Amino acid sequence: MSNSMWGGRFSEGPAAIMEEINASIDFDKKLYRQDIAGSQAHARMLARQGIIGADDAEKIVAGLDTILREIEAGTFTFSRALEDIHLNIESRLKELIGEPAGRLHTARSRNDQVATDFKLWVRDTIDAVDAALRELQIALADKAFLHAGQVMPGFTHLQSAQPVTFGHHLLAYVEMIGRDRGRFQDARRRLNENPLGAAALAGTSFPIDRFDTAKALGFDRPTANSLDSVSDRDFVIEALAAASLCAIHLSRFAEEIVIWSSAQFRFIKLSDKFTTGSSIMPQKRNPDAAELVRAKTGRIIGAQTALQIVMKGLPLAYQKDMQEDKEQAFDAFESLELAIAAATGMVLDMEPEAANLKKAAGSGFATATDLADWLVRALNMPFREAHHVTGRIVAIASERDIELTKVPLADMQAVHPAITDAVYSVLTVDKSVRSRTSYGGTSPKNVRSQAKRWQNALAREKRR
């Protein structure tokens, strides 16, 4: 039996395997809300332009409202034989209102219809992701302000480098996420053009008003080229690129949580809310939430890569290959939203282990740079010479397995006789972080100022 939605060109139905590979309803039913919104805007525009009757448009809009309620109530029956969300809704509309349903598809194609639906979905998803990222920034900024003076080791190469503060470390992620939000907002601005009315690929001979449907659907303007309108998937790839980089940032943070909560580091505590136990080792508290955030990054980057590969060799205009744009994008953004929520929960839940952080902050001769800086300031020594002198003093401390503060003054003076006991005033971790007052530095005063700046900016966003 032929597919009645396709008309008279086909006399037989598709083979079973064709139906299996061709149908997208199992995943694109997620677009039902966007598809209905686009169809209602299109019907109203057709009526305003005199292309269909006002009564038919009213019946179409009311019928689509009924379908929306059915889908949301779980009473709508999706059919794989009807392939996709568009034909499923159109078929049900015909059952509900009869002949006027056939007028809805005037001056459009499934090609511009799906591009419109997917743009609307990506736009809605970007808005949801942005709101979630804002909540993560708030959680980080609040915790940073609270722990602005808590010293901890700063690392390079995962080796103790210089003391920083816990608040400063958290604010680094606030900055990263701010850039992520900017990328999503840029992607949203670029995608906000309306493909509806481009039809299959060449536009239409009907006197439609594409500016009308653009306004109704919240787009800034209609797309300017019908070929590009139906074949463009830049908007998905760009959103996935932003999602991939965001996921990398979340993964880096998750990795630090895994390290910080280990028995070897004991920098933070996570409660039972975000950890699990072991089936065999009763002592274990595993940071599974962080590990899963870290792992989901692969799915998100994979979705971006997969879609880029799908698109890389496609000639204009629409190709069925492009049906592969949705399933992985849906999964990627669902994974990203879950990862953001988990990261926010862990930030709110975790508590720094103050004593362990402070002890670790002084390990590895972390205030060696402070010693070198003191030599420059107090003795007017060139930094390269100060670096060399400091290295020799560090070697003494390392050989004796003592901290820099424990190296006797006489031994320091044996390296350079002009050193005085004033040097000890800069060798504690608290003095070290307090001295880092340059803009963007780790001094507690700076951290409180930056945390407050973010808190105020994020609060203003909420009020807008």
Side-chain angles (χ1 to χ4, degrees):
M1 181 177 179
S2 65
N3 187 330
S4 62
M5 304 300 287
W6 289 2
R9 175 65 179 86
F10 292 82
S11 59
E12 295 183 69
I17 191 64
M18 178 59 183
E19 182 175 307
E20 184 67 25
I21 196 171
N22 195 45
S24 60
I25 188 60
D26 291 343
F27 53 85
D28 72 12
K29 62 186 177 184
K30 188 185 285 284
L31 298 174
Y32 74 89
R33 184 180 291 277
Q34 290 80 16
D35 194 72
I36 289 171
S39 291
Q40 289 179 325
H42 186 66
R44 290 184 177 113
M45 179 275 295
L46 291 176
R48 279 192 285 268
Q49 294 299 106
I51 298 169
I52 67 173
D55 288 347
D56 285 343
E58 288 177 10
K59 290 175 183 176
I60 289 168
V61 170
L64 290 169
D65 281 335
T66 298
I67 292 170
L68 178 62
R69 288 192 294 271
E70 289 177 349
I71 294 174
E72 294 189 334
T75 60
F76 187 94
T77 300
F78 292 99
S79 168
R80 298 190 88 235
L82 292 171
E83 297 183 18
D84 57 31
I85 187 62
H86 323 298
L87 294 186
N88 270 264
I89 288 176
E90 188 174 334
S91 177
R92 177 59 177 150
L93 185 63
K94 186 176 181 181
E95 292 174 358
L96 289 171
I97 68 170
E99 186 265 348
R103 302 185 186 281
L104 173 59
H105 211 53
T106 306
R108 74 172 185 183
S109 160
R110 281 193 295 174
N111 295 353
D112 62 335
Q113 190 178 357
V114 70
T116 303
D117 291 359
F118 204 17
K119 273 196 171 184
L120 290 171
W121 184 89
V122 172
R123 191 179 71 186
D124 291 344
T125 300
I126 286 174
D127 290 344
V129 167
D130 183 73
L133 288 173
R134 178 182 168 277
E135 291 304 312
L136 176 54
Q137 285 184 297
I138 290 171
L140 286 163
D142 288 349
K143 189 138 288 190
F145 187 84
L146 188 62
H147 299 289
Q150 175 58 62
V151 292
M152 68 172 289
F155 296 100
T156 61
H157 310 278
L158 206 55
Q159 305 293 313
S160 184
Q162 292 179 286
V164 295
T165 68
F166 191 70
H168 192 59
H169 200 116
L170 296 183
L171 285 178
Y173 287 99
V174 179
E175 297 287 340
M176 290 183 215
I177 295 161
R179 295 194 295 273
D180 291 329
R181 293 181 66 195
R183 276 181 281 271
F184 278 119
Q185 289 156 10
D186 288 345
R188 191 191 193 284
R189 279 192 290 273
R190 263 184 291 281
L191 73 77
N192 207 35
E193 295 184 344
N194 180 28
L196 192 59
L201 74 161
T204 178
S205 60
F206 289 96
I208 62 172
D209 185 349
R210 296 187 61 212
F211 289 89
D212 180 287
T213 52
K215 183 178 179 181
L217 294 171
F219 289 112
D220 295 330
R221 63 192 70 84
T223 51
N225 182 284
S226 60
L227 287 167
D228 180 53
S229 301
V230 299
S231 62
D232 165 42
R233 292 299 182 269
D234 292 2
F235 64 94
V236 194
I237 295 172
E238 186 173 8
L240 285 171
S244 296
L245 192 45
C246 179
I248 288 170
H249 292 152
L250 295 174
S251 183
R252 294 179 70 182
F253 184 54
E255 170 69 5
E256 296 207 294
I257 290 175
V258 171
I259 293 170
W260 290 351
S261 62
S262 69
Q264 288 72 29
F265 275 72
R266 292 186 299 150
F267 283 3
I268 62 167
K269 282 182 180 176
L270 282 175
S271 77
D272 295 350
K273 295 177 182 178
F274 291 95
T275 56
T276 65
S278 165
S279 64
I280 189 172
M281 295 169 284
Q283 83 282 9
K284 293 294 294 298
R285 183 188 288 275
N286 299 322
D288 282 9
E291 291 169 10
L292 289 166
V293 168
R294 188 174 59 185
K296 286 188 181 296
T297 303
R299 295 170 72 150
I300 297 164
I301 295 172
Q304 179 199 350
T305 303
L307 185 52
Q308 286 176 317
I309 292 169
V310 166
M311 294 299 296
K312 72 172 182 61
L314 298 188
L316 296 178
Y318 180 82
Q319 315 289 331
K320 192 68 169 182
D321 311 51
M322 293 162 68
Q323 182 169 290
E324 293 297 313
D325 60 357
K326 296 172 201 66
E327 195 168 10
Q328 293 184 81
F330 292 157
D331 178 79
F333 280 104
E334 185 177 300
S335 295
L336 181 63
E337 289 185 73
L338 187 57
I340 295 167
T344 304
M346 286 187 287
V347 171
L348 294 170
D349 183 71
M350 69 184 185
E351 289 299 329
E353 297 267 35
N356 295 337
L357 284 168
K358 186 166 186 177
K359 181 179 179 182
S363 66
F365 315 112
T367 56
T369 304
D370 297 275
L371 171 55
D373 289 346
W374 182 87
L375 293 170
V376 170
R377 285 194 306 272
L379 305 184
N380 198 29
M381 190 181 291
F383 183 81
R384 285 302 174 197
E385 182 183 349
H387 186 282
H388 180 72
V389 169
T390 300
R392 290 178 62 190
I393 294 171
V394 167
I396 293 170
S398 179
E399 184 179 336
R400 298 180 188 177
D401 194 23
I402 57 176
E403 298 174 4
L404 285 176
T405 54
K406 303 298 183 184
V407 177
L409 179 61
D411 291 329
M412 291 192 187
Q413 290 174 332
V415 175
H416 196 288
I419 296 174
T420 69
D421 61 0
V423 71
Y424 294 106
S425 67
V426 302
L427 296 183
T428 66
V429 292
D430 289 310
K431 289 282 183 63
S432 176
V433 296
R434 284 201 296 271
S435 73
R436 305 294 169 182
T437 56
S438 60
Y439 185 80
T442 192
S443 73
K445 182 180 178 181
N446 279 5
V447 173
R448 290 187 188 94
S449 175
Q450 291 291 346
K452 180 57 68 175
R453 175 178 69 85
W454 274 109
Q455 288 173 322
N456 291 340
L458 294 164
R460 284 195 299 273
E461 279 187 43
K462 191 170 186 178
R463 290 194 294 269
R464 284 204 295 266

